[in-house]
């Protein structure tokens, strides 16, 4: 009788141990990262060695290179970014942006753009003397920025003038001019050939980046109307190259001291 009792106890303990073991083995295992190993794999050589990939890529690469290398115009002089309040490159870009955007705006809205303001930092290259190609346009304007026309009041124009003076950078400006007095205050502000009127509505063309407050140009958000021309700045440059056999920068003063 004692032996049977001991047997039953041992059997129960075995069953419990077996059940516990099965439960643990079936439970969800938790893993933790103990080590991360990085390894650099150079794929350039392998890609270059692949004749099949080269056969696929080459026609497209050759076509793009040919398009970018096509001569569109000629620059008799280098158009650079040298200047305190304005630069030849800034004048050139703002002038052609105003001119080319006006064609689209007048056709769509039957209105005229009054002036153009861009940012100096957005111009990433000069236009060297000699043949001008589509590649030149991509070097000058590598970004995908489009032109936007904003309706703003004359009071906002005063904020633009104050911003330019405080920035002390040659931001591209066309269609507007003013003088900086010895005390650092503006005077003789003109839009076109007319004196600025604070209550009048003016139309300014700029990039979508600046229209959204880029480069701290928050005054652009005070517009009463916004028109997206869906016309990239780079395409403006290319179209201008195509329509002008020779390109030059206008060196007239927009800001004087």
């Amino acid at each position: 009788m004692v032996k049977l009792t001991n047997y039953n106890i041992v059997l129960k303990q075995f069953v419990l141990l077996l059940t516990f073991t099965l439960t643990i083995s079936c439970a969800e295992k938790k893993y933790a990262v103990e080590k991360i190993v990085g390894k650099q794999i150079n794929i350039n050589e392998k890609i270059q060695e692949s004749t099949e990939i080269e056969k696929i890529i080459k026609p497209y690469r050759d076509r793009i290179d040919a398009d970018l290398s096509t001569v569109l115009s000629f620059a008799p002089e280098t158009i650079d970014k040298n200047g305190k309040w304005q630069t030849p490159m800034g004048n050139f870009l703002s002038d052609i942006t105003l001119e080319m955007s006006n064609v689209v705006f007048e056709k769509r809205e039957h209105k005229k753009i009054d002036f153009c303001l861009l940012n100096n930092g957005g111009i990433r290259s000069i236009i060297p003397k000699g043949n001008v190609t589509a590649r030149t346009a991509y070097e000058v304007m590598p970004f995908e920025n489009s032109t936007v026309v904003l309706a703003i009041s004359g009071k906002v124009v005063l904020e633009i003038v104050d911003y330019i003076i405080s920035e002390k950078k040659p931001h591209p400006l066309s269609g507007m001019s003013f003088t900086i007095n010895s005390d650092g205050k503006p005077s003789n502000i003109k839009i076109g050939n007319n004196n600025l009127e604070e209550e009048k509505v003016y139309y300014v063309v700029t990039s979508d980046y600046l229209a959204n407050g880029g480069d701290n140009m928050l005054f652009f958000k005070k517009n009463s109307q916004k028109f997206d021309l869906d016309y990239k700045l780079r395409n403006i440059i290319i179209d201008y190259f195509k329509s002008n056999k020779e390109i030059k920068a206008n060196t007239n003063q927009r800001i004087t001291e």
Side-chain angles (χ1 to χ4, degrees):
M1 191 70 169
V2 174
K3 291 182 180 180
L4 182 59
T5 301
N6 290 338
Y7 174 78
N8 288 336
I9 293 172
V10 172
L11 180 61
K12 288 181 180 179
Q13 289 177 344
F14 175 75
V15 172
L16 288 172
L17 179 61
L18 181 62
T19 303
F20 178 76
T21 304
L22 290 173
T23 302
I24 293 299
S25 63
C26 294
E28 182 180 353
K29 295 182 179 180
K30 295 183 179 180
Y31 299 93
V33 177
E34 294 183 354
K35 186 178 182 181
I36 298 177
V37 178
K39 183 180 180 182
Q40 183 176 3
I41 301 175
N42 191 347
I43 64 173
N44 293 330
E45 293 180 2
K46 292 182 178 180
I47 290 178
Q48 291 170 1
E49 291 171 0
S50 175
T51 56
E52 292 301 320
I53 295 178
E54 177 62 19
K55 286 180 182 178
I56 296 172
I57 295 176
K58 190 175 186 304
Y60 296 98
R61 184 175 59 232
D62 292 347
R63 176 61 184 272
I64 292 173
D65 187 64
D67 289 343
L68 292 176
S69 299
T70 301
V71 176
L72 304 179
S73 186
F74 180 80
E77 296 178 354
T78 295
I79 303 176
D80 58 37
K81 293 178 65 177
N82 298 325
K84 182 179 180 181
W85 292 109
Q86 54 259 312
T87 69
M89 193 67 221
N91 285 3
F92 174 77
L93 188 58
S94 58
D95 284 346
I96 69 171
T97 299
L98 179 59
E99 176 185 336
M100 304 293 281
S101 297
N102 236 332
V103 175
V104 178
F105 192 62
E106 285 185 312
K107 186 176 294 185
R108 289 185 187 176
E109 305 297 332
H110 308 291
K111 298 174 183 177
K112 186 176 181 180
I113 302 172
D114 294 293
F115 68 100
C116 171
L117 175 64
L118 301 172
N119 61 324
N120 181 59
I123 306 174
R124 291 309 175 100
S125 181
I126 64 173
I127 299 178
K129 177 181 178 179
N131 290 333
V132 177
T133 66
R135 182 177 278 104
T136 307
Y138 276 84
E139 291 171 349
V140 171
M141 187 60 59
F143 311 109
E144 296 299 312
N145 295 128
S146 293
T147 48
V148 173
V149 177
L150 304 172
I152 58 175
S153 69
K155 292 180 180 178
V156 176
V157 175
L158 287 175
E159 291 186 41
I160 291 176
V161 173
D162 290 339
Y163 171 86
I164 293 174
I165 295 174
S166 64
E167 280 279 294
K168 295 181 173 60
K169 295 179 181 178
H171 292 301
L173 182 67
S174 180
M176 181 169 76
S177 62
F178 60 90
T179 299
I180 303 174
N181 298 327
S182 57
D183 59 358
K185 300 296 182 181
S187 64
N188 196 30
I189 304 172
K190 291 184 178 294
I191 303 296
N193 296 316
N194 301 314
N195 293 328
L196 176 69
E197 299 177 37
E198 292 188 20
E199 302 303 322
K200 184 177 178 179
V201 174
Y202 295 96
Y203 293 97
V204 54
V205 61
T206 187
S207 70
D208 52 356
Y209 167 70
L210 299 178
N212 291 322
D215 270 14
N216 207 32
M217 294 191 184
L218 302 178
F219 41 76
F220 277 142
K221 291 188 174 184
K222 298 179 182 180
N223 67 83
S224 57
Q225 281 183 295
K226 184 177 181 179
F227 308 86
D228 189 345
L229 300 187
D230 194 27
Y231 196 2
K232 294 186 184 302
L233 283 168
R234 185 193 307 119
N235 291 343
I236 285 177
I237 299 172
I238 292 174
D239 288 345
Y240 188 84
F241 288 167
K242 289 180 178 179
S243 59
N244 293 270
K245 293 182 179 180
E246 188 174 280
I247 59 170
K248 290 182 178 181
N250 192 330
T251 57
N252 67 322
Q253 298 292 304
R254 290 102 202 269
I255 302 173
T256 56
E257 290 184 280

